[in-house]
Amino acid sequence: MATSRKSILPKKSFPRTKKPSEKQRIPSPNVSSSPVFLVLAGEHSGDLLGAELLKELKKHDPDFQFFGIGGPRMLEEGFDSIEDMEELSVIGFTAVLFKYKFLKALMERLVEEAIARSCTHAILIDYPGFNLRLAARLKELGIKVIFYVSPQLWAWNFNRIHKIKECVDLMLVLFPFEKKLYDDYEIRSVFVGHPIAQRIKEKLRKEQPIQLEEKPGHWQTITLMPGSRSGEIHRTLDTLLESAVQIHQELEAEKKHVRFLIPNINVKEEEFIQSKIGIIQSLHEGIHIEYLFDRSLRAIEISDLVLVTSGTATLEVVYFEKPMVILYKVSMLTYFISALLIRTPFIGLVNILSGRETVKELIQAECTPEEAKEESLAILKNKKYRNQMIDEIKLVKESLGEEHSSKNASKAILHFLKEKPNPVV
């Protein structure tokens, strides 16, 4: 079992500065011929996108300057992050309320840094709750705002499109239908394609294949994916582990065997996950659960079934054409507010893209070990049901295409830089 790791992100401290006056808020002309970019990624998926994009942009001009907030992958590209990205890792309305003061102060720090560094452009990656507010502040300074990954307007809170029109100069979208939506509202956008196919191919070269222990008899493999954010992990891990216990017990009673894999990419939650696995294994003799760090793709690749929290990970499962069950659980307040705002009947991207419930979604009260067990066994035991699900997943995969989104995004940004010269005050 893997040992715990300390955070790989450097701790930085920055002196507090006085709130600048309105005159001070206007950035001075950039003395360098290369623009200074404020880049912000608030989640692991955004960190991956940001790292790929920085790499492509630096190929064009190694003198491009990037600062803001990013994760370990962006740091590997030499990115100057002024805060640990995990501090932004909040999910749900209630979690945001608890971190409101921190997030407000952080926004002021980013604005002050943008002024101090004569920032000319911002690339805001996903994380719309925070990034749209930051976009409005930066727009007031005359900074050009590029938004990478459209907020899911088609799913909920469509009125945000008016704010986007006011404060975003260029929107880079992952799905073709999003491009049409922005065209209808005369908002400049570029379809760059979804990065999932290219990213998986590149990441698979780095992830070592998983060698499962040879055991007598036929074994099925189920991967449990509790999410990458701390809130997701703490909210869903118990449900996933209890599901594993119930699936194990029922299959063992039928003289069938199953093993479980739990991949994780969140360093801070490694000890928590391992301790939970240890408790389950001590209470239920014979259950096979293997913990894996940063090998989620290999885990999906060798699985017969994946239980996954809603998010980008569902598209990773789609890439490998694996059947899945989607689990989604937030606080009651977040769920209540979301129910009022959501415009689509689905949570999972695979279902949104297919336009129907291709895979089962266990949301909130339905997100229980019993429900997860029943759906999992239906998939494992009913060949017709399983094959129909896989056929529909294959169609969703085809719709994602094979675009190299980071290269396309880089080209769109470079073209934008030529069309939109730096403002001169």
Side-chain angles (χ1 to χ4, degrees):
M1 190 173 287
T3 57
S4 298
R5 296 167 177 77
K6 294 183 179 178
S7 175
I8 60 176
L9 294 174
K11 294 293 182 182
K12 295 187 179 184
S13 61
F14 291 83
R16 295 287 178 181
T17 58
K18 293 181 179 179
K19 191 174 182 177
S21 66
E22 289 305 313
K23 283 189 177 181
Q24 289 173 315
R25 285 178 178 274
I26 300 174
S28 57
N30 184 24
V31 295
S32 170
S33 60
S34 297
V36 178
F37 293 89
L38 185 160
V39 186
L40 191 143
E43 301 171 303
H44 290 283
S45 58
D47 178 42
L48 289 172
L49 281 176
E52 293 162 359
L53 180 59
L54 296 188
K55 185 183 295 184
E56 292 298 327
L57 288 172
K58 286 192 297 183
K59 288 178 183 177
H60 174 80
D61 188 343
D63 294 327
F64 278 164
Q65 300 175 53
F66 303 99
F67 77 96
I69 299 175
R73 301 300 172 90
M74 290 171 67
L75 292 178
E76 289 174 5
E77 297 301 322
F79 182 70
D80 181 10
S81 186
I82 72 169
E83 182 59 76
D84 185 336
M85 187 186 73
E86 282 299 321
E87 293 297 328
L88 278 71
S89 184
V90 294
I91 181 170
F93 298 100
T94 52
V96 171
L97 289 176
F98 283 117
K99 278 212 164 186
Y100 175 76
K101 287 185 178 180
F102 167 78
L103 294 172
K104 184 178 180 182
L106 179 60
M107 186 169 298
E108 293 303 321
R109 283 176 59 195
L110 288 164
V111 170
E112 291 166 7
E113 287 290 325
I115 295 166
R117 302 186 191 218
S118 299
C119 174
T120 57
H121 296 76
I123 302 173
L124 308 181
I125 305 172
D126 206 356
Y127 202 65
F130 185 88
N131 273 339
L132 283 178
R133 289 175 175 82
L134 179 59
R137 292 293 305 277
L138 298 175
K139 187 71 174 177
E140 292 173 359
L141 300 176
I143 294 171
K144 299 298 181 183
V145 176
I146 301 161
F147 213 100
Y148 189 12
V149 183
S150 169
Q152 295 180 350
L153 306 176
W154 33 269
W156 71 288
N157 200 0
F158 185 80
N159 285 336
R160 288 175 293 176
I161 198 163
H162 303 296
K163 187 169 187 177
I164 290 170
K165 188 166 185 175
E166 289 176 3
C167 61
V168 174
D169 297 285
L170 175 64
M171 178 66 71
L172 305 177
V173 301
L174 306 187
F175 303 109
F177 69 86
E178 293 176 322
K179 165 69 175 165
K180 182 181 184 305
L181 185 154
Y182 285 110
D183 286 347
D184 290 343
Y185 280 81
E186 298 181 338
I187 297 170
R188 181 171 181 176
S189 66
V190 175
F191 167 60
V192 298
H194 202 283
I196 197 72
Q198 190 65 33
R199 182 187 296 166
I200 287 176
K201 290 174 185 176
E202 293 172 1
K203 196 166 185 290
L204 277 174
R205 297 189 196 107
K206 300 176 183 178
E207 290 190 16
Q208 291 295 318
I210 297 170
Q211 301 294 332
L212 295 176
E213 181 184 350
E214 291 291 334
K215 295 177 181 291
H218 175 68
W219 286 74
Q220 292 184 300
T221 302
I222 300 177
T223 291
L224 311 175
M225 302 185 72
S228 60
R229 293 179 288 194
S230 296
E232 289 176 322
I233 293 169
H234 284 260
R235 211 178 292 274
T236 61
L237 184 59
D238 283 341
T239 300
L240 288 171
L241 288 173
E242 286 299 325
S243 303
V245 170
Q246 294 187 23
I247 294 168
H248 161 74
Q249 290 174 340
E250 181 149 339
L251 290 179
E252 284 293 323
E254 299 175 3
K255 307 295 185 185
K256 298 175 182 177
H257 308 296
V258 62
R259 67 184 122 215
F260 302 91
L261 308 177
I262 299 187
N264 169 48
I265 60 172
N266 188 327
V267 176
K268 289 187 173 181
E269 298 301 331
E270 191 167 37
E271 184 176 345
F272 172 77
I273 295 171
Q274 289 179 327
S275 67
K276 287 286 187 178
I277 294 172
I279 291 170
I280 291 294
Q281 289 178 324
S282 66
L283 293 175
H284 302 279
E285 185 178 353
I287 191 168
H288 296 266
I289 304 176
E290 184 174 349
Y291 173 84
L292 302 162
F293 186 79
D294 202 20
R295 297 170 78 187
S296 58
L297 297 181
R298 293 298 185 183
I300 297 170
E301 182 183 40
I302 63 172
S303 293
D304 299 294
L305 170 66
V306 182
L307 274 59
V308 58
T309 53
S310 180
T312 306
T314 59
L315 295 185
E316 294 176 348
V317 182
V318 165
Y319 178 85
F320 289 101
E321 301 174 3
K322 300 292 183 177
M324 72 183 94
V325 184
I326 294 176
L327 295 89
Y328 185 78
K329 186 184 290 186
V330 292
S331 71
M332 284 304 298
L333 177 60
T334 296
Y335 178 72
F336 176 75
I337 296 173
S338 298
L340 297 175
L341 298 175
I342 287 179
R343 304 170 72 240
T344 173
F346 307 116
I347 294 292
L349 282 169
V350 58
N351 290 334
I352 291 170
L353 292 172
S354 69
R356 65 183 304 277
E357 192 179 52
T358 292
V359 305
K360 186 80 171 178
E361 297 182 353
L362 302 179
I363 303 172
Q364 211 62 10
E366 293 180 345
C367 186
T368 65
E370 292 75 22
E371 291 282 354
K373 178 203 72 172
E374 290 300 322
E375 178 63 12
S376 297
L377 293 176
I379 293 170
L380 294 175
K381 294 180 179 182
N382 187 331
K383 187 175 181 180
K384 182 179 179 181
Y385 180 51
R386 174 188 177 88
N387 288 341
Q388 180 182 344
M389 182 183 295
I390 292 173
D391 287 343
E392 292 186 21
I393 285 172
K394 287 179 179 178
L395 293 176
V396 173
K397 179 183 177 181
E398 289 175 11
S399 73
L400 294 174
E402 296 282 336
E403 294 284 347
H404 197 310
S405 66
S406 57
K407 285 185 178 179
N408 292 340
S410 174
K411 289 178 183 177
I413 291 170
L414 293 172
H415 181 70
F416 177 73
L417 294 179
K418 291 176 183 177
E419 276 194 2
K420 303 282 187 177
N422 296 346
V424 178
V425 180

